[in-house]
Amino acid sequence: MDEGCSRIRRRVSVRKRNRRSLESVFAALTAAVLKPGDEEKEDEDEETVAGSRRRKTMDVQPVENIDSEEDMFGDYDSFAENSFLAQVDDLEQKYLQLPEHRKHATDHATEDLCSESIKHNTLSITAVGDYTELKIDEHTKNQSGHEDVSIDPEADVLYDIPSSQVLFFENLYSSSNDLGDPSTEERDWNSSSHKTVNEELPINNVEQPQQTDESSSKVRTSSDANRRKSLKDHLKNTMTGNAKAQTPVFSRTKQLKETLLSEEINVAKKTIESSLDDLGPFYSLPSKVRDLYVQFKGIEKLYEWQHACLTLNSVQERKNLIYSLPTSGGKTLVAEILMLQELLCRRKDVLMILPYVAIVQEKISGLSSFGVELGFFVEEYAGSKGKFPPIKRREKKSLYIATIEKGHSLVNSLIETERINSLGLVVVDELHMIGEGSRGAILEMTLAKILYTSKTTQIIGMSATLNNVEDLQEFLQAEYYTSQFRPVELKEYLKIKDTIYEVDSKAENGMTFSRLLNYKYSDTLKKMDPDHLIALVTEVIPNYSCLVFCPTKKNCENVAEMICKILSKEYLKHKEKEKHEVIKNLKNISNGNLCPVLKHTIPFGVAYHHGGLTGDERKLLEEAYSAGVLCLFTCTSTLAAGVNLPARRVILRAPYVAKEFLKKNQYKQMIGRAGRAGIDSTGESILILQEKDKQQVLELISRPLENCYSQLVQEFTKGIQTLFLSLIGLKIATNLGDIYHFMSGTFFGVQQKILLKERSLWEITVESLRYLTEKGLLQNDTILTEKGLLQKDTIHGSEEEFQYSFHITKLGRASFKGAIDLAYCDSLYRDLKKGLEGLVLESLLHLIYLTTPYDMASQCHPDWMIYFRQFSQLSPAEQNVAVLVGVSENFIGKKASGQAIRKKVDKNIVNRLYLSFVLYTLLKETNIWSVSEKFNMPRGYIQNLLSGAAAFSSCVLHFCEELEEFWVYRALLVELTKKLTYCVKAELIPLMEVTGVLEGRARQLYNAGYKSLMHLANANPEVLIKTIDHLSRRQAKQIVSSAKLLLHEKAEALQEEVEELLRLPSDFPGIVASSVEKA
């Protein structure tokens, strides 16, 4: 019997699929107390169930055949405590009331109790709906009071109950030898059984109350009643203990399905924490995650490299990891699985950093459905969105999806509130961007702070274009994984005149002849299309897709129009109805406006794609391209780094991006879009070049990827100075020695021998601190100045100098809290201070001027005639704003008429006011097209200006919150930020809070009667498809999921606020006094 017990224990803890079926356990259990006739009956039942088990094993087809990932969980549910125990009482009463059964009441109680347990679990699981259904039929009752239980051949009960309950039946089995001996039975329940549970489940170690058994034994007089009562009490105590240990406390509104999911998550969590090899059904995650990937993304099986990466020892041990694969290799899926492990199993928050706002929004739309189904929040940190510090959740965890800038502010706020350890994982996509300008410097600062302040946060970095990985490994203290896997083979070609060569690294000059273009060109056609683009694109369109990368935005539009002039009329017939719908929809979202170029090109299935499009237009065109309605995009290089739009063939119009020659990283990203997984067998890239560029191009394709270099010092105000200010402000490092030590651990510190030729790291550190002190952002000890440490001739520091400490000033704190570029912080302070002297509140113009981004003003080139015309149309109060900031009508008039101006006026102020006029007009009219026409500006530029102003307004708000003198701006800027963020009529704002709902879609929803977040959250996607024009099923589901998630976030935030108000304060006098007395 002991051997049988150990066998069951081993199966529970190691491999679930080898467990004996529940009937076989009960058959052995009751064999000792049944009559000989009953034993024969039990043998027949055991054979039946064993046969069912064999059939089940043969029939089940797993989604993915990975032997190391056994299904430990299956589809079980926790027991409903009250109803189950009520069944126990009913069962006992039933047998006690029947005189002919009293003799065998104790003998049969055990087996019937087990039958009831099976029935209960079956009912729970059937209620869930999508999970395995167990059907139990009650057959004829035999004379001894047994009920024959038939189990569906496809069901296996042990797959459908928690392992803790299996251990309970194991104890039941082990004590069956003593059922006939009342004197030993109670001893077994109170000592042996409890010991086994505690030994086998150390994580669920729950002390079982024993007084119940002791007190009840005094009352019981007969051995039968004694055994029966002991059994009931033990069952009650064990199941209650298990419920407390494994079933989270949910409100009554939670569905039974969530209970099942929570229990699976708990088991997965405990399994991960243990040292067992068998981690669960889907990489330590509940089996439901695998089902959701099939349902939402159509992913049924992982690539081999993905499985290898997820099962790396470094990943299992939670070491930092960098992994690199070609574009379209499936990098993101690995990151998503690791994020879900952290959220669901380890119960920690996760931060995902992405390069662009559009990608952040796309990722939020894709993961919101997972958040709703699996019980975690997905929060957007991009543009003006994001709460600092983030809301602290008690139960559900949060996945923060952020741009580089917002990710940095989020990490700062977590460090400041001492919550950085709540961040379990940080995932960085496009890690190579750490070497790209100011954004690279901000990304480096973010990662360096995490490494310095938290030893428990894991960092995962991924990229398709990494070269000097060793430096990044040293900086991040990370392991490295790489593979050359591509789901679709990529063939690279070069085109010179009408000859196409295949790129071949083995060939002497790097290329081999492939073919001649077979397309008849007339003389007129040659002049229109000297690069033979028509010949190249007509080989693939309209049945396959094609991308043509062009050097400039204007070139994109020209090439699209040129192609459509030459294409035959036959192309108009391909998906004609769908293309007409696209044009109609473009007009709807743009108040009846339509770009003349798109009006001409879309009927041919061609469109341009660049930053000059509005967000609504870009989103609609991308959807049409993905659906195959559009077959050709002429685009700029930004598409390669942005959303995933693969094509059968990728053509590079020239080896240039604007006027700069192509870099290897850019080239790799562009050609990486060739080949669509699951659609194409191969992908092709063709680089068109002139004879003069041939040598440079051959060098380009043969050389390695560019190295990544730290931008921390190169980007002075946005880099090292901002870093030092935040280090001192957050008290990460406040003295010179600590700051120098921190710098040594940065990416710059790793590369200092390469990057520093003339100055040392110590000199740069001292120089930066001196600059911040002179600017009034930092204060230093008096001894520092006396010693002359910050003089320019200081080369290195003594031991004493290492202890010199710094303190942040109010202006410094406001600057780092608002994430203000230090090049502009003093200008912002002066402008806000001057604004207090005569703030004009008759209109929004004055506030808009104060929140117009300084960096965009420096790049602006006003049209003076338009400037003068707009100035003349202002009201007297609005013209007064211009006078207050230092721009007169006389000055604008002279500039417009071309007269010479003697009086010097700050160019940046003039440009900033001009952009303020654009924003002010836009907020009044809320129509980008009309504003674009008035100011003769591309509509895409105006939208970028609007989003930049919204983000900067949010920064100015945080800046003002730290300075008491600017209290008046706080309430004003909250409303202005909201207006700039959405720039629509007030009634559409609640709908536009939902990720993926832009102005055009919000207007459609509002007109259809969906006027609030609650309406959207409770909407039926199928009804939405029928009600809203041009809405796909996938989009409808994403909108509803995002709305539900946002509604849950708001509800939980309010609930937590209520509980916080009702909670007894920790510093309550009585509590403090009692704790002092105890001490």
Side-chain angles (χ1 to χ4, degrees), residues 678-721:
I679 300 172
D680 299 326
S681 54
T682 58
E684 300 171 339
S685 73
I686 300 173
L687 171 56
I688 299 172
L689 62 142
Q690 308 301 320
E691 196 68 47
K692 65 181 177 66
D693 296 323
K694 182 179 175 182
Q695 195 54 44
Q696 261 187 298
V697 168
L698 290 174
E699 288 173 11
L700 169 76
I701 59 176
S702 61
R703 67 168 171 251
L705 294 162
E706 287 84 10
N707 286 336
C708 251
Y709 292 112
S710 171
Q711 301 295 306
L712 207 55
V713 171
Q714 198 166 339
E715 296 289 333
F716 204 54
T717 56
K718 283 188 178 179
I720 194 168
Q721 292 178 3

Short mmCIF file of all heavy atoms in Angstrom, two decimals, residues 678-721:
data_model
loop_
_atom_site.label_atom_id
_atom_site.label_comp_id
_atom_site.label_asym_id
_atom_site.label_seq_id
_atom_site.Cartn_x
_atom_site.Cartn_y
_atom_site.Cartn_z
N GLY A 678 3.68 32.48 -44.07
CA GLY A 678 2.41 31.80 -44.28
C GLY A 678 1.75 32.12 -45.59
O GLY A 678 0.74 31.53 -45.94
N ILE A 679 2.29 33.08 -46.35
CA ILE A 679 1.69 33.48 -47.64
C ILE A 679 2.69 33.24 -48.77
O ILE A 679 2.37 32.60 -49.76
CB ILE A 679 1.25 34.96 -47.61
CG1 ILE A 679 0.21 35.18 -46.50
CG2 ILE A 679 0.69 35.38 -48.96
CD1 ILE A 679 -0.15 36.62 -46.26
N ASP A 680 3.91 33.78 -48.61
CA ASP A 680 4.91 33.67 -49.67
C ASP A 680 5.91 32.56 -49.36
O ASP A 680 6.25 32.32 -48.19
CB ASP A 680 5.68 35.00 -49.82
CG ASP A 680 4.75 36.15 -50.19
OD1 ASP A 680 3.79 35.90 -50.92
OD2 ASP A 680 5.01 37.28 -49.74
N SER A 681 6.41 31.92 -50.42
CA SER A 681 7.46 30.92 -50.25
C SER A 681 8.83 31.59 -50.23
O SER A 681 9.76 31.12 -49.57
CB SER A 681 7.40 29.88 -51.37
OG SER A 681 7.44 30.54 -52.63
N THR A 682 8.97 32.69 -50.96
CA THR A 682 10.21 33.47 -50.95
C THR A 682 9.89 34.95 -50.95
O THR A 682 8.80 35.37 -51.34
CB THR A 682 11.09 33.17 -52.19
OG1 THR A 682 10.32 33.48 -53.36
CG2 THR A 682 11.56 31.74 -52.22
N GLY A 683 10.85 35.75 -50.53
CA GLY A 683 10.74 37.20 -50.60
C GLY A 683 11.90 37.74 -51.41
O GLY A 683 12.99 37.16 -51.40
N GLU A 684 11.67 38.86 -52.12
CA GLU A 684 12.72 39.42 -52.97
C GLU A 684 12.93 40.89 -52.64
O GLU A 684 11.97 41.62 -52.38
CB GLU A 684 12.31 39.34 -54.45
CG GLU A 684 12.05 37.92 -54.95
CD GLU A 684 11.44 37.93 -56.35
OE1 GLU A 684 10.85 38.96 -56.75
OE2 GLU A 684 11.56 36.89 -57.02
N SER A 685 14.19 41.30 -52.67
CA SER A 685 14.50 42.73 -52.55
C SER A 685 15.35 43.13 -53.75
O SER A 685 16.25 42.39 -54.16
CB SER A 685 15.25 43.02 -51.25
OG SER A 685 16.58 42.55 -51.33
N ILE A 686 15.03 44.29 -54.33
CA ILE A 686 15.77 44.78 -55.49
C ILE A 686 16.20 46.22 -55.20
O ILE A 686 15.36 47.10 -54.97
CB ILE A 686 14.91 44.74 -56.77
CG1 ILE A 686 14.46 43.30 -57.07
CG2 ILE A 686 15.70 45.30 -57.95
CD1 ILE A 686 13.46 43.18 -58.21
N LEU A 687 17.52 46.44 -55.19
CA LEU A 687 18.06 47.78 -54.99
C LEU A 687 18.44 48.36 -56.35
O LEU A 687 19.27 47.81 -57.07
CB LEU A 687 19.28 47.73 -54.07
CG LEU A 687 20.10 49.01 -53.91
CD1 LEU A 687 19.24 50.17 -53.44
CD2 LEU A 687 21.27 48.79 -52.95
N ILE A 688 17.78 49.47 -56.72
CA ILE A 688 18.07 50.14 -58.00
C ILE A 688 19.23 51.11 -57.79
O ILE A 688 19.19 51.93 -56.87
CB ILE A 688 16.83 50.89 -58.51
CG1 ILE A 688 15.67 49.92 -58.73
CG2 ILE A 688 17.15 51.65 -59.79
CD1 ILE A 688 14.35 50.59 -59.05
N LEU A 689 20.27 51.00 -58.62
CA LEU A 689 21.40 51.90 -58.46
C LEU A 689 21.95 52.36 -59.81
O LEU A 689 21.75 51.70 -60.83
CB LEU A 689 22.51 51.24 -57.65
CG LEU A 689 23.15 49.98 -58.23
CD1 LEU A 689 24.64 49.97 -57.93
CD2 LEU A 689 22.52 48.73 -57.63
N GLN A 690 22.62 53.49 -59.77
CA GLN A 690 23.28 54.01 -60.96
C GLN A 690 24.72 53.50 -60.96
O GLN A 690 25.26 53.11 -59.93
CB GLN A 690 23.26 55.55 -60.95
CG GLN A 690 21.89 56.16 -60.75
CD GLN A 690 20.90 55.73 -61.82
OE1 GLN A 690 21.24 55.64 -63.00
NE2 GLN A 690 19.67 55.46 -61.40
N GLU A 691 25.33 53.57 -62.12
CA GLU A 691 26.71 53.07 -62.26
C GLU A 691 27.66 53.78 -61.30
O GLU A 691 28.58 53.16 -60.75
CB GLU A 691 27.17 53.26 -63.71
CG GLU A 691 28.41 52.47 -64.09
CD GLU A 691 28.19 50.96 -64.13
OE1 GLU A 691 27.19 50.51 -64.70
OE2 GLU A 691 29.03 50.25 -63.53
N LYS A 692 27.42 55.07 -61.07
CA LYS A 692 28.31 55.85 -60.20
C LYS A 692 28.29 55.38 -58.75
O LYS A 692 29.24 55.57 -57.99
CB LYS A 692 27.96 57.34 -60.28
CG LYS A 692 26.58 57.69 -59.73
CD LYS A 692 26.29 59.18 -59.87
CE LYS A 692 24.89 59.56 -59.39
NZ LYS A 692 24.69 59.38 -57.96
N ASP A 693 27.17 54.76 -58.33
CA ASP A 693 27.04 54.30 -56.94
C ASP A 693 27.41 52.83 -56.76
O ASP A 693 27.32 52.29 -55.65
CB ASP A 693 25.60 54.51 -56.45
CG ASP A 693 25.21 55.97 -56.39
OD1 ASP A 693 26.07 56.79 -56.03
OD2 ASP A 693 24.04 56.29 -56.71
N LYS A 694 27.81 52.16 -57.84
CA LYS A 694 28.01 50.71 -57.81
C LYS A 694 29.03 50.29 -56.74
O LYS A 694 28.76 49.38 -55.94
CB LYS A 694 28.47 50.23 -59.19
CG LYS A 694 28.66 48.72 -59.27
CD LYS A 694 29.07 48.30 -60.66
CE LYS A 694 29.38 46.81 -60.72
NZ LYS A 694 29.83 46.40 -62.07
N GLN A 695 30.18 50.96 -56.69
CA GLN A 695 31.23 50.57 -55.75
C GLN A 695 30.77 50.74 -54.31
O GLN A 695 30.99 49.88 -53.45
CB GLN A 695 32.50 51.38 -56.02
CG GLN A 695 33.76 50.83 -55.36
CD GLN A 695 34.02 49.37 -55.70
OE1 GLN A 695 33.89 48.95 -56.86
NE2 GLN A 695 34.35 48.57 -54.69
N GLN A 696 30.11 51.88 -54.05
CA GLN A 696 29.61 52.14 -52.68
C GLN A 696 28.58 51.09 -52.25
O GLN A 696 28.56 50.66 -51.10
CB GLN A 696 28.98 53.54 -52.62
CG GLN A 696 29.92 54.59 -52.04
CD GLN A 696 29.20 55.91 -51.85
OE1 GLN A 696 28.73 56.50 -52.83
NE2 GLN A 696 29.11 56.39 -50.62
N VAL A 697 27.71 50.71 -53.18
CA VAL A 697 26.67 49.73 -52.87
C VAL A 697 27.28 48.35 -52.60
O VAL A 697 26.87 47.64 -51.67
CB VAL A 697 25.64 49.64 -54.02
CG1 VAL A 697 24.73 48.43 -53.84
CG2 VAL A 697 24.81 50.92 -54.07
N LEU A 698 28.29 47.96 -53.38
CA LEU A 698 28.95 46.67 -53.16
C LEU A 698 29.63 46.63 -51.79
O LEU A 698 29.64 45.60 -51.11
CB LEU A 698 29.96 46.40 -54.28
CG LEU A 698 29.36 46.10 -55.66
CD1 LEU A 698 30.45 45.98 -56.70
CD2 LEU A 698 28.53 44.81 -55.62
N GLU A 699 30.19 47.77 -51.39
CA GLU A 699 30.79 47.85 -50.05
C GLU A 699 29.69 47.76 -48.98
O GLU A 699 29.88 47.14 -47.94
CB GLU A 699 31.55 49.18 -49.91
CG GLU A 699 32.84 49.22 -50.70
CD GLU A 699 33.48 50.61 -50.66
OE1 GLU A 699 33.03 51.45 -49.84
OE2 GLU A 699 34.42 50.84 -51.43
N LEU A 700 28.56 48.41 -49.27
CA LEU A 700 27.43 48.41 -48.32
C LEU A 700 26.94 46.98 -48.03
O LEU A 700 26.79 46.60 -46.86
CB LEU A 700 26.28 49.24 -48.89
CG LEU A 700 24.94 49.15 -48.16
CD1 LEU A 700 24.98 49.96 -46.88
CD2 LEU A 700 23.78 49.60 -49.04
N ILE A 701 26.73 46.19 -49.08
CA ILE A 701 26.14 44.87 -48.87
C ILE A 701 27.14 43.87 -48.30
O ILE A 701 26.75 42.85 -47.73
CB ILE A 701 25.54 44.30 -50.18
CG1 ILE A 701 26.60 44.19 -51.28
CG2 ILE A 701 24.36 45.14 -50.63
CD1 ILE A 701 26.10 43.55 -52.56
N SER A 702 28.43 44.18 -48.41
CA SER A 702 29.43 43.23 -47.91
C SER A 702 29.91 43.54 -46.50
O SER A 702 30.41 42.67 -45.80
CB SER A 702 30.64 43.21 -48.86
OG SER A 702 31.24 44.49 -48.94
N ARG A 703 29.74 44.80 -46.08
CA ARG A 703 30.27 45.15 -44.75
C ARG A 703 29.30 44.75 -43.65
O ARG A 703 28.10 44.57 -43.89
CB ARG A 703 30.59 46.64 -44.68
CG ARG A 703 29.40 47.58 -44.74
CD ARG A 703 29.82 49.00 -44.36
NE ARG A 703 28.75 49.95 -44.60
CZ ARG A 703 28.76 50.86 -45.57
NH1 ARG A 703 29.79 50.92 -46.40
NH2 ARG A 703 27.75 51.71 -45.71
N PRO A 704 29.81 44.63 -42.41
CA PRO A 704 28.93 44.27 -41.29
C PRO A 704 28.03 45.44 -40.89
O PRO A 704 28.20 46.56 -41.38
CB PRO A 704 29.92 43.93 -40.16
CG PRO A 704 31.15 44.71 -40.50
CD PRO A 704 31.22 44.76 -42.00
N LEU A 705 27.10 45.17 -40.01
CA LEU A 705 26.22 46.22 -39.50
C LEU A 705 27.02 47.26 -38.73
O LEU A 705 28.08 46.96 -38.17
CB LEU A 705 25.16 45.60 -38.57
CG LEU A 705 24.15 44.66 -39.22
CD1 LEU A 705 23.49 43.79 -38.17
CD2 LEU A 705 23.11 45.44 -40.00
N GLU A 706 26.48 48.49 -38.69
CA GLU A 706 27.17 49.56 -37.96
C GLU A 706 27.15 49.26 -36.45
O GLU A 706 26.19 48.67 -35.94
CB GLU A 706 26.48 50.91 -38.20
CG GLU A 706 26.72 51.49 -39.58
CD GLU A 706 25.76 50.96 -40.63
OE1 GLU A 706 24.78 50.28 -40.27
OE2 GLU A 706 26.00 51.20 -41.83
N ASN A 707 28.22 49.69 -35.79
CA ASN A 707 28.28 49.53 -34.34
C ASN A 707 27.35 50.52 -33.64
O ASN A 707 27.02 51.57 -34.17
CB ASN A 707 29.72 49.77 -33.84
CG ASN A 707 30.62 48.60 -34.17
OD1 ASN A 707 30.16 47.47 -34.37
ND2 ASN A 707 31.92 48.86 -34.26
N CYS A 708 26.96 50.15 -32.44
CA CYS A 708 26.13 51.01 -31.57
C CYS A 708 27.06 51.77 -30.64
O CYS A 708 27.87 51.15 -29.95
CB CYS A 708 25.23 50.11 -30.73
SG CYS A 708 23.55 50.22 -31.22
N TYR A 709 26.94 53.08 -30.58
CA TYR A 709 27.77 53.85 -29.66
C TYR A 709 26.89 54.72 -28.76
O TYR A 709 25.87 55.25 -29.20
CB TYR A 709 28.76 54.74 -30.42
CG TYR A 709 29.82 53.94 -31.15
CD1 TYR A 709 29.86 53.92 -32.54
CD2 TYR A 709 30.77 53.19 -30.45
CE1 TYR A 709 30.81 53.17 -33.22
CE2 TYR A 709 31.73 52.45 -31.12
CZ TYR A 709 31.74 52.44 -32.50
OH TYR A 709 32.68 51.69 -33.17
N SER A 710 27.31 54.85 -27.52
CA SER A 710 26.55 55.63 -26.54
C SER A 710 26.43 57.08 -26.98
O SER A 710 27.38 57.68 -27.48
CB SER A 710 27.24 55.56 -25.18
OG SER A 710 26.65 56.48 -24.28
N GLN A 711 25.25 57.64 -26.78
CA GLN A 711 24.98 59.04 -27.13
C GLN A 711 24.89 59.92 -25.88
O GLN A 711 24.52 61.09 -25.97
CB GLN A 711 23.65 59.13 -27.90
CG GLN A 711 23.62 58.32 -29.17
CD GLN A 711 24.60 58.84 -30.21
OE1 GLN A 711 24.59 60.00 -30.57
NE2 GLN A 711 25.47 57.96 -30.69
N LEU A 712 25.27 59.38 -24.75
CA LEU A 712 25.07 60.06 -23.47
C LEU A 712 25.81 61.40 -23.39
O LEU A 712 25.27 62.40 -22.91
CB LEU A 712 25.53 59.14 -22.33
CG LEU A 712 24.87 59.33 -20.97
CD1 LEU A 712 23.36 59.23 -21.08
CD2 LEU A 712 25.39 58.29 -19.99
N VAL A 713 27.04 61.44 -23.88
CA VAL A 713 27.83 62.67 -23.80
C VAL A 713 27.61 63.54 -25.03
O VAL A 713 27.59 64.77 -24.95
CB VAL A 713 29.32 62.34 -23.64
CG1 VAL A 713 30.18 63.60 -23.77
CG2 VAL A 713 29.55 61.70 -22.28
N GLN A 714 27.40 62.91 -26.19
CA GLN A 714 27.18 63.66 -27.42
C GLN A 714 25.91 64.51 -27.32
O GLN A 714 25.87 65.65 -27.76
CB GLN A 714 27.07 62.69 -28.60
CG GLN A 714 27.27 63.37 -29.93
CD GLN A 714 27.50 62.35 -31.04
OE1 GLN A 714 27.88 61.23 -30.79
NE2 GLN A 714 27.24 62.76 -32.26
N GLU A 715 24.86 63.93 -26.72
CA GLU A 715 23.62 64.68 -26.48
C GLU A 715 23.73 65.31 -25.10
O GLU A 715 23.26 64.79 -24.11
CB GLU A 715 22.41 63.73 -26.55
CG GLU A 715 22.20 63.10 -27.90
CD GLU A 715 21.70 64.10 -28.94
OE1 GLU A 715 21.06 65.10 -28.54
OE2 GLU A 715 21.98 63.89 -30.13
N PHE A 716 24.38 66.49 -25.05
CA PHE A 716 24.80 67.05 -23.77
C PHE A 716 23.64 67.35 -22.83
O PHE A 716 23.54 66.81 -21.74
CB PHE A 716 25.64 68.30 -24.03
CG PHE A 716 26.58 68.64 -22.91
CD1 PHE A 716 27.48 67.70 -22.43
CD2 PHE A 716 26.58 69.90 -22.33
CE1 PHE A 716 28.35 68.01 -21.39
CE2 PHE A 716 27.44 70.22 -21.29
CZ PHE A 716 28.34 69.27 -20.83
N THR A 717 22.70 68.22 -23.29
CA THR A 717 21.61 68.63 -22.38
C THR A 717 20.58 67.53 -22.19
O THR A 717 19.98 67.41 -21.14
CB THR A 717 20.91 69.90 -22.90
OG1 THR A 717 20.45 69.66 -24.23
CG2 THR A 717 21.86 71.08 -22.91
N LYS A 718 20.33 66.74 -23.25
CA LYS A 718 19.35 65.66 -23.12
C LYS A 718 19.99 64.38 -22.59
O LYS A 718 19.29 63.42 -22.31
CB LYS A 718 18.71 65.37 -24.48
CG LYS A 718 17.66 66.39 -24.90
CD LYS A 718 16.94 65.92 -26.15
CE LYS A 718 15.85 66.91 -26.55
NZ LYS A 718 15.15 66.50 -27.76
N GLY A 719 21.31 64.37 -22.50
CA GLY A 719 22.00 63.16 -22.09
C GLY A 719 22.56 63.25 -20.68
O GLY A 719 21.85 63.17 -19.69
N ILE A 720 23.86 63.48 -20.59
CA ILE A 720 24.57 63.36 -19.31
C ILE A 720 24.07 64.36 -18.27
O ILE A 720 23.98 64.03 -17.08
CB ILE A 720 26.10 63.49 -19.54
CG1 ILE A 720 26.86 63.02 -18.30
CG2 ILE A 720 26.49 64.89 -19.97
CD1 ILE A 720 28.34 62.83 -18.56
N GLN A 721 23.71 65.57 -18.70
CA GLN A 721 23.24 66.55 -17.71
C GLN A 721 21.88 66.16 -17.14
O GLN A 721 21.65 66.25 -15.93
CB GLN A 721 23.17 67.93 -18.36
CG GLN A 721 24.53 68.49 -18.70
CD GLN A 721 24.44 69.84 -19.37
OE1 GLN A 721 23.35 70.39 -19.55
NE2 GLN A 721 25.57 70.39 -19.76
#
